[in-house]
Amino acid sequence: MRSALERLSEGLALARGAVERGGGLAPRELAALAERHGAHPDQVARYAELLGSREEVEGMLGAREGDVMRTLRANTLRVDRDELASRLEAKGASVRPYRHTPYGLVVEESPIPLAAYHEHLLGLFYIQGPASMLPVLALSPEGASRIADAAAGVGGKATQISQHNPRSPVIALDVSERKLMALKANASRLGAFNIVAYLMDARGIGSLGEFDRVLLDAPCTGEGLMPFARGRRPRPQGEVESAARVQVELLESALRSLGPGGELVYSTCSTNFEENELVVHSVLEALEDSGAGHFSLVDTGLDFGDAGAVEYAGISLPSQFRLCRRFYPHRHATEGFTICRIRRS
Amino acid sequence: MPDKAVLRRCTREELDLIRSEVLCHSSGGLVGLDVLCAGAPGSGCVEVLAVHPSASAEALGGGRPPFLAGVHAARICGGRVEPLMGLLSALWGGIDRGYLIVDERAEAVFLYGRDVLPRGVIRRSPSPCGTYAVLNRRREPLGWARRRGRVYANLVDAGWYLRSGLRGRGRPLCLITAQDSANTASRARPIHAPT
């Protein structure tokens, strides 16, 4: 019986081969694109392997901050979206509903930075990227009795879960004390009273009992943030592989913590196949073989995004992986993101 | 207080102190929230947390000590309650006494950490505790102030979140040790006005 990590390693080896072959692009072309866009040649090769055409690769690499919708999340614990929109417009901003969510606003123009609005200081909204808002919608935690945010960071999604379900405990885990301090400030500002945070590695989530909803917005290469200056840096294949190994361990632990009928949403701010479908596939197969239970991919319920990838670097995945959702800056005007939803039978 | 403090149910004395502070500002009290404490009672400062009951059960009932539960609402030092921004979150929409309503200019300068001058006050409701919840015209809470001569001195305001630079920088206020707190336990209960 092969472990999830062993399965992952086999997939990573195939992916590495495809990347070394340039994803079908000539070496000079690869180097030129990498240099022009501040990317690593491996990264260009990954996009070529994933997206197919040179135009698509250029579109992806050329996306910049202005191509991504600037969005915020109205804190519906305190204000509804329309009222917040009116208040911001009265201060000179131009906003419109982010129609894929019940509380998002797209900010077209603003005379001041979003963080400087009094409405922000008073906890009436949280600044959140357009794709970053989607994993919690896919999780649909309404009605769940015990929810985990396994890599909570500063609590953006944990407080979003509180908006959906302010009455059930939200268990937020992170290994960074600094981030949990920021989570504390965010929970206070937004009035999220049902969060219990633990300073711990989510690989130990099993010690906290069973959950009926788990969000694993896994630490990743952050390659989906390439349009932003803060996220624009070269990422060699080795970095992707390291991230995927950690992701496999996190996902396996998180899935084991699901109770029967429970659901987990796995997401990353990366569009790399290695960090997403390959990770999920490696873990689901290993859990199935080990008799740990039956897990299956289910519809995310999201009304946009591309289907999950089922062919990459000679790897073929079952068609159910199309149920995952992929978001690209140049196609969807969001950060690069991937979201999969998994149910335990 | 030490950085590492045990999360526990508040003592009766602590609950009485918190209740008095809350009732200075809200006749309805803290609705639907439990109050938990962190730190040894009677020594140094005790941190006060406002927590949804489902989360307080989780935080106290689990085998592992949490880093944080709910919202950091106040601090008790030397028998005196220092209200924090979290208490305003907990009282959102329910502040009906012990407040100042300020105009837009006073709101802006208060959120930059400045005091409230008398000319910026539109309406004042007396506070027997000496602390005032500072509200804008929409009655949204901006922070806490205390009367000092003719001005209302800024104790804490919502703008600290930006001014602190790195959000959340500072010492952990609720890092819990595995120390058993059974000896100091008293029943946690929602704080309500006397009926």
Side-chain angles (χ1 to χ4, degrees):
Chain A
M1 197 162 47
R2 290 175 301 150
S3 70
L5 268 175
E6 287 168 336
R7 291 167 197 269
L8 175 78
S9 295
E10 289 171 16
L12 290 178
L14 289 170
R16 177 170 278 273
V19 166
E20 283 170 354
R21 289 189 296 276
L25 293 178
R28 276 180 61 182
E29 199 175 15
L30 206 66
L33 281 170
E35 188 176 343
R36 189 183 317 150
H37 295 289
H40 193 281
D42 290 354
Q43 202 168 345
V44 181
R46 284 196 295 276
Y47 294 170
E49 187 67 27
L50 183 70
L51 301 169
S53 74
R54 186 196 157 104
E55 290 70 32
E56 279 289 300
V57 174
E58 288 230 62
M60 179 84 169
L61 287 168
R64 292 293 183 269
E65 188 163 356
D67 300 317
V68 176
M69 289 182 281
R70 184 160 53 142
T71 51
L72 56 84
R73 184 184 92 226
N75 179 13
T76 47
L77 296 171
R78 293 197 171 149
V79 69
D80 68 39
R81 174 164 67 179
D82 291 346
E83 185 190 339
L84 178 64
S86 300
R87 288 177 65 164
L88 297 179
E89 288 189 332
K91 294 183 175 181
S94 171
V95 300
R96 62 178 166 84
Y98 176 32
R99 64 184 178 84
H100 304 291
T101 71
Y103 34 54
L105 285 172
V106 179
V107 182
E108 307 281 13
E109 285 176 46
S110 174
I112 59 172
L114 295 180
Y117 281 96
H118 288 186
E119 284 78 5
H120 179 250
L121 299 178
L122 301 183
L124 303 190
F125 69 83
Y126 185 84
I127 301 166
Q128 191 170 21
S132 176
M133 258 185 256
L134 302 175
V136 171
L137 285 171
L139 187 69
S140 29
E142 308 82 6
S145 60
R146 196 160 183 264
I147 307 155
D149 182 353
V154 302
K157 295 181 183 69
T159 54
Q160 189 182 357
I161 292 170
S162 288
Q163 275 182 241
H164 284 251
N165 186 343
R167 292 181 187 82
S168 298
V170 178
I171 315 303
L173 316 181
D174 206 275
V175 291
S176 163
E177 186 173 320
R178 185 170 153 271
K179 286 184 178 173
L180 288 184
M181 288 303 295
L183 181 151
K184 172 178 175 286
N186 282 323
S188 175
R189 189 169 61 84
L190 298 164
F193 296 97
N194 56 335
I195 297 174
V196 180
Y198 291 93
L199 181 65
M200 63 179 279
D201 189 318
R203 284 172 281 205
I205 192 173
S207 66
L208 298 176
E210 278 189 359
F211 297 92
D212 48 4
R213 288 287 186 281
V214 176
L215 174 65
L216 175 58
D217 186 43
C220 67
T221 56
E223 208 161 304
L225 303 177
M226 276 290 282
F228 303 92
R230 68 178 189 277
R232 184 164 286 272
R233 62 177 175 80
R235 291 166 176 87
Q237 190 67 8
E239 183 178 337
V240 174
E241 292 173 0
S242 300
R245 289 191 185 94
V246 175
Q247 288 156 353
V248 154
E249 292 178 351
L250 289 168
L251 180 59
E252 183 167 359
S253 302
L255 282 171
R256 286 180 184 276
S257 75
L258 276 182
E263 291 185 357
L264 177 146
V265 165
Y266 176 81
S267 60
T268 70
C269 55
S270 165
T271 52
N272 288 324
F273 177 87
E274 294 91 327
E275 297 184 75
N276 293 291
E277 289 89 345
L278 184 61
V279 164
V280 173
H281 183 250
S282 303
V283 174
L284 294 191
E285 279 211 323
L287 287 176
E288 193 80 40
D289 283 1
S290 70
H294 180 65
F295 298 86
S296 53
L297 282 160
V298 293
D299 187 9
T300 60
L302 300 172
D303 64 359
F304 79 130
D306 287 359
V310 293
E311 297 284 342
Y312 180 85
I315 303 166
S316 291
L317 300 185
S319 61
Q320 61 167 325
F321 277 82
R322 291 188 193 280
L323 293 169
C324 296
R325 278 285 162 266
R326 300 185 137 261
F327 300 88
Y328 299 102
H330 65 299
R331 291 183 188 169
H332 305 104
T334 66
E335 322 89 292
F337 229 87
T338 308
I339 300 172
C340 299
R341 182 178 177 190
I342 303 162
R343 181 176 296 150
R344 181 173 202 166
S345 315
Chain B
M1 76 165 256
D3 279 354
K4 295 194 174 187
V6 179
L7 183 67
R8 57 179 172 79
R9 298 186 189 281
C10 303
T11 64
R12 185 166 296 280
E13 292 72 27
E14 289 162 345
L15 283 175
D16 287 344
L17 282 170
I18 300 159
R19 185 179 295 111
S20 314
E21 180 68 32
V22 166
L23 289 176
C24 285
H25 306 287
S26 173
S27 57
L30 290 177
V31 180
L33 295 174
D34 285 352
V35 175
L36 299 180
C37 287
S43 63
C45 293
V46 170
E47 310 298 340
V48 179
L49 301 150
V51 191
H52 188 275
S54 68
S56 74
E58 183 80 38
L60 294 173
R64 177 184 277 267
F67 181 88
L68 170 74
V71 161
H72 193 199
R75 180 175 292 134
I76 301 173
C77 293
R80 190 163 144 170
V81 178
E82 297 171 9
L84 301 175
M85 290 306 299
L87 186 57
L88 290 174
S89 266
L91 294 174
W92 188 278
I95 296 171
D96 55 10
R97 55 174 77 150
Y99 62 80
L100 305 171
I101 296 180
V102 299
D103 64 19
E104 288 75 8
R105 179 168 167 71
E107 173 180 355
V109 297
F110 184 74
L111 289 176
Y112 275 100
R114 311 290 288 273
D115 298 338
V116 177
L117 302 177
R119 66 170 179 268
V121 178
I122 296 168
R123 186 170 170 194
R124 184 180 79 98
S125 163
S127 169
C129 301
T131 51
Y132 288 85
V134 180
L135 313 178
N136 63 13
R137 283 186 198 268
R138 295 173 189 267
R139 302 184 73 98
E140 292 161 342
L142 309 172
W144 293 104
R146 182 182 293 279
R147 187 155 198 167
R148 194 170 294 152
R150 292 187 65 245
V151 305
Y152 296 91
N154 182 319
L155 298 177
V156 62
D157 65 87
W160 74 266
Y161 181 75
L162 270 188
R163 294 195 306 275
S164 64
L166 177 65
R167 292 156 178 78
R169 179 186 290 166
R171 71 191 168 96
L173 294 166
C174 190
L175 192 60
I176 311 302
T177 67
Q179 183 188 332
D180 183 3
S181 62
N183 293 337
T184 59
S186 65
R187 293 293 299 165
R189 55 207 156 126
I191 297 178
H192 298 296
T195 53

